[in-house]
């Protein structure tokens, strides 16, 4: 398992998924928050074209818990991504991030705007950055009446009952169906991949970010793609689309009949969207 040292001396681990003929490397950031990145797989075969560098974030997988809540927060871990860039000898980075992992990608873009070559944000939470009214509740209402969805929604709203990892993971499993447009065998199997760390998730959100993040993102001129799902009941649709407008070179793409995990639910459509964007980014770098 490859590893590198961050600026505070901690050993941080990452997966290196490579093919001999792979194009430029991509740093792939998992969400959860603090979910083992195994749930990402290789994003519907993206490793066939690109070398995927997948960090184990602080307190997740083989990387030990953060030395402080600040270092484990999504804002603080941007420094870890920067040290990874240096370790990989990359002039600039291509970041692809999912869900809560997009907070870390945005933190990096805000702190190191000129070191980003391209950025892909997959079903990101966006309400903390945009003024677009939330619409997740509207999408939820359309799904009511499905017994599996209704039971999962009830569990989601109840929240975890205790603070230990087993209870936290049980809650994630019980509420998982809310994140998918359908709850068939493929989705149920995927939901079981990747364990969460409660302590790492708590540290991830233990931060008061700067009030000027949106303004900072306006300094990043690299191309940005924001991918949303039409039935994403976790983060909604309209705010996700609006997030693209914060970036000078931002664009949005929507996957139909899809919830929070487009590479699982609509892999062909997802690959068409992301491949087109990355091919263009490759030609411009």
């Amino acid at each position: 398992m490859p590893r590198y040292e961050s600026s505070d001396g901690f050993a941080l681990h990452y997966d290196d998924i490579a093919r001999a003929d792979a194009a430029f490397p991509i740093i792939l950031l998992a969400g959860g928050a603090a979910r083992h990145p195994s749930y990402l797989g290789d994003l519907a075969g993206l490793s066939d074209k690109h070398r995927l560098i997948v960090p184990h974030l602080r307190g997740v997988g083989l990387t030990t818990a953060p030395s402080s809540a600040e270092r484990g927060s999504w804002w603080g871990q941007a420094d870890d991504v920067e040290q990874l860039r240096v370790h990989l000898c990359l002039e600039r980075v291509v970041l692809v991030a999912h869900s809560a992992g997009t907070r870390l990608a945005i933190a990096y873009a805000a702190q190191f705007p000129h070191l980003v070559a391209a950025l892909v944000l997959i079903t990101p939470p966006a309400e903390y950055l945009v003024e677009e009214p939330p619409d997740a509740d509207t999408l939820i209402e359309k799904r009511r009446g499905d017994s599996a969805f209704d039971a999962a929604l009830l569990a989601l709203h109840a929240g975890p009952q205790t603070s230990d990892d087993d209870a936290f993971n049980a809650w994630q499993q019980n509420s998982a169906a809310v994140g998918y447009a359908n709850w068939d065998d493929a989705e149920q199997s995927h939901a079981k991949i990747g364990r969460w760390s409660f302590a790492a998730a708590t540290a991830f959100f233990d931060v008061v970010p700067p009030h000027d993040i949106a303004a900072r993102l306006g300094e990043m001129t690299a191309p940005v793609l924001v991918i949303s799902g039409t039935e994403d009941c976790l983060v909604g649709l309209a705010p996700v689309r609006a997030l693209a407008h914060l970036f000078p070179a931002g664009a949005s793409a929507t996957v139909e009949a899809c919830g929070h995990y487009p590479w699982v639910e609509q892999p062909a459509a997802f690959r068409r969207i992301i491949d087109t964007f990355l091919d263009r980014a490759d030609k411009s770098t």
Side-chain angles (χ1 to χ4, degrees):
M1 170 67 67
R3 68 178 189 176
Y4 69 102
E5 188 174 291
S6 196
S7 60
D8 62 350
F10 265 60
L12 306 176
H13 296 260
Y14 62 94
D15 299 319
D16 190 344
I17 307 172
R19 301 291 184 269
D21 57 348
F24 58 85
I26 291 171
I27 296 177
L28 178 55
L29 302 175
R35 186 176 183 180
H36 192 286
S38 56
Y39 84 95
L40 294 169
D42 67 350
L43 288 190
L46 193 62
S47 63
D48 288 343
K49 296 183 65 175
H50 299 279
R51 178 187 178 194
L52 303 182
I53 305 296
V54 191
H56 290 202
L57 302 185
R58 298 216 178 199
V60 176
L62 295 180
T63 297
T64 58
S67 55
S68 67
E70 180 181 2
R71 288 309 299 245
S73 71
W74 58 269
W75 185 258
Q77 289 192 72
D79 180 68
D80 294 343
V81 177
E82 171 58 8
Q83 295 304 314
L84 179 57
R85 180 195 69 82
V86 173
H87 170 76
L88 297 171
C89 300
L90 299 176
E91 183 177 344
R92 295 192 297 163
V93 296
V94 177
L95 295 177
V96 175
H98 173 245
S99 191
T102 65
R103 289 180 180 265
L104 174 52
I106 284 171
Y108 185 85
Q111 295 176 56
F112 305 97
H114 304 300
L115 296 177
V116 179
L119 178 62
V120 179
L121 305 174
I122 305 170
T123 58
E127 291 179 25
Y128 70 106
L129 286 173
V130 302
E131 297 181 358
E132 185 73 21
D135 60 356
D137 286 346
T138 301
L139 300 179
I140 286 171
E141 288 303 315
K142 294 179 180 179
R143 295 286 306 281
R144 287 190 182 275
D146 179 313
S147 59
F149 179 86
D150 289 345
L153 184 65
L154 186 63
L156 180 67
H157 288 165
Q161 298 302 308
T162 65
S163 59
D164 64 80
D165 274 1
D166 287 343
F168 190 57
N169 278 270
W171 171 66
Q172 296 284 2
Q173 292 299 323
N174 292 337
S175 60
V178 178
Y180 301 86
N182 294 290
W183 191 235
D184 296 326
D185 290 345
E187 290 80 10
Q188 292 178 41
S189 296
H190 177 258
K192 297 175 182 177
I193 303 172
R195 186 172 173 82
W196 285 260
S197 166
F198 181 81
T202 300
F204 191 83
F205 291 109
D206 190 11
V207 61
V208 178
H211 62 84
D212 63 343
I213 293 180
R216 293 192 190 194
L217 296 178
E219 299 177 12
M220 199 194 75
T221 58
V224 178
L225 174 64
V226 180
I227 301 176
S228 56
T230 56
E231 298 180 40
D232 191 340
C233 295
L234 293 180
V235 297
L237 178 58
V240 178
R241 286 173 166 171
L243 182 61
H245 299 309
L246 296 183
F247 302 94
S252 65
T254 301
V255 183
E256 298 290 331
C258 183
H260 203 55
Y261 304 92
W263 70 95
V264 176
E265 301 176 81
Q266 299 293 342
F270 172 77
R271 282 298 304 273
R272 284 195 298 270
I273 291 169
I274 197 170
D275 285 348
T276 299
F277 175 80
L278 291 175
D279 287 346
R280 291 174 180 169
D282 189 17
K283 293 174 182 178
S284 66
T285 56

